[in-house]
Amino acid sequence: MATLEDKILGEKLHNYCSSSEDEGSEDEGNASGDEDKAIKTSATAAEPPPVNSWTGSASNTGPKGVLEDWRRFKQLEAENRKELEKERIALAKKLTLSVKTQREEEKEKEIDEIEDELNELIDEGFLMKYQQQRMQELMAQLQKAPKFGSVQTLNSQDEFLNSIDKEDPKVAVIIHIYSNKNRACETMDGCLNILASDYPAIKFCRIAADITGLSRHFRVDGVPALLVYKAGQIIGNFVQLATELGNDFFAPDVEKFLIEYGMLPEK
């Protein structure tokens, strides 16, 4: 068993001889026997326990521990790589949604410039000026439009045709076909005289059924009749109005009737 001296000077082999032991006297060996025994006892007590009896954990692992640590390191490295890849993909998607092309930016810039120009133009002063100008244009158009104000009597078929074809396309022409022997026709003439003054932009005319060359049946039963033309085209054809209005009616009745059918503008 190794002694304290062996621990200090190194382990001895079984056949090792010390020079100090040979030079010492026998007496000294006997005298120090008890001391050697005490030293051997203490050395034996100080000897560390066998390696196999250690139950704790060592700071240096063996080959299996190293391999396990390496596997864990590679696992963490792979997980880190996946997380970084996910973050890169999310960032790329975000940039794709938020970044605009140069063409889109130029288009938005053009729209913003146009809106700025419109905002500068459309202010209160500009709107007032535009309204005044528009009113002047409308007044000029009204002044140029022909005015009538009374019922015109047509004495021939040519006058009948000319009153329609040669009139301004914007003017509505209302022609009353009448018979002198019909009471309702007399009432219609009185009503149209009133409406002609109320609607001077409308051209009111009258022509006898005999002049138009219409059949005797129409001259008796078809009158009073109102024909409405615009731009040379007939837009309203109302016959036998006595059936609708009766023999006694008034200008408001005729006005209401024509407004309902869109032949007169509402006031």
Side-chain angles (χ1 to χ4, degrees):
M1 182 176 290
T3 64
L4 180 61
E5 185 181 1
D6 294 335
K7 285 291 182 181
I8 295 172
L9 300 178
E11 186 179 357
K12 296 179 181 180
L13 298 176
H14 291 290
N15 297 326
Y16 173 77
C17 295
S18 173
S19 59
S20 61
E21 291 177 0
D22 294 336
E23 292 174 358
S25 62
E26 249 176 79
D27 293 336
E28 292 172 352
N30 292 332
S32 61
D34 295 335
E35 294 177 3
D36 291 341
K37 185 180 292 185
I39 292 171
K40 287 180 181 179
T41 303
S42 62
T44 303
E47 186 177 357
V51 176
N52 293 338
S53 66
W54 177 254
T55 59
S57 59
S59 59
N60 297 324
T61 58
K64 290 181 68 177
V66 172
L67 289 176
E68 186 62 29
D69 290 343
W70 176 253
R71 291 193 189 98
R72 180 58 181 162
F73 169 75
K74 297 304 287 183
Q75 181 183 0
L76 292 174
E77 187 180 34
E79 290 175 357
N80 260 347
R81 194 180 299 112
K82 290 179 181 179
E83 288 296 325
L84 289 174
E85 187 65 24
K86 288 179 181 179
E87 290 180 5
R88 281 197 293 267
I89 292 173
L91 181 60
K93 288 181 178 179
K94 185 177 179 180
L95 291 174
T96 303
L97 293 174
S98 60
V99 175
K100 298 177 181 178
T101 64
Q102 184 178 359
R103 177 58 182 165
E104 290 174 341
E105 290 180 353
E106 291 176 355
K107 188 173 182 181
E108 286 188 358
K109 187 177 179 181
E110 291 176 0
I111 293 173
D112 292 339
E113 290 177 355
I114 293 172
E115 288 180 351
D116 292 340
E117 292 178 1
L118 288 175
N119 290 333
E120 291 178 0
L121 290 174
I122 303 176
D123 55 9
E124 187 175 354
F126 174 79
L127 289 176
M128 290 295 294
K129 186 177 179 181
Y130 175 78
Q131 289 176 357
Q132 292 174 359
Q133 182 180 355
R134 185 59 182 160
M135 287 296 295
Q136 291 175 359
E137 291 176 355
L138 292 174
M139 292 297 294
Q141 290 178 1
L142 290 174
Q143 291 175 359
K144 290 180 181 178
K147 301 294 182 181
F148 304 98
S150 61
V151 179
Q152 300 179 14
T153 301
L154 308 176
N155 297 313
S156 67
Q157 293 183 4
D158 290 337
E159 289 183 4
F160 175 82
L161 295 175
N162 290 336
S163 67
I164 298 170
D165 297 334
K166 294 185 178 181
E167 191 53 69
D168 190 315
K170 296 178 182 178
V171 174
V173 181
I174 298 177
I175 299 177
H176 173 213
I177 300 178
Y178 68 94
S179 173
N180 290 325
K181 298 177 181 180
N182 191 295
R183 180 181 173 185
C185 291
E186 293 179 5
T187 305
M188 181 63 72
D189 281 337
C191 294
L192 294 182
N193 284 326
I194 296 173
L195 294 179
S197 62
D198 291 341
Y199 295 89
I202 305 295
K203 184 177 181 179
F204 288 89
C205 302
R206 63 193 292 269
I207 187 172
D210 296 338
I211 297 174
T212 58
L214 295 172
S215 66
R216 182 178 178 279
H217 176 69
F218 185 89
R219 293 196 301 269
V220 173
D221 298 325
V223 295
L226 293 179
L227 306 181
V228 186
Y229 295 87
K230 196 169 187 178
Q233 302 296 322
I234 188 167
I235 60 173
N237 183 8
F238 308 100
V239 298
Q240 294 182 325
L241 286 176
T243 305
E244 179 74 22
L245 301 174
N247 290 325
D248 293 323
F249 49 88
F250 301 93
D253 299 324
V254 179
E255 181 183 26
K256 181 180 177 182
F257 176 83
L258 293 174
I259 289 175
E260 286 179 355
Y261 284 93
M263 301 298 109
L264 288 179
E266 294 186 16
K267 292 183 179 179

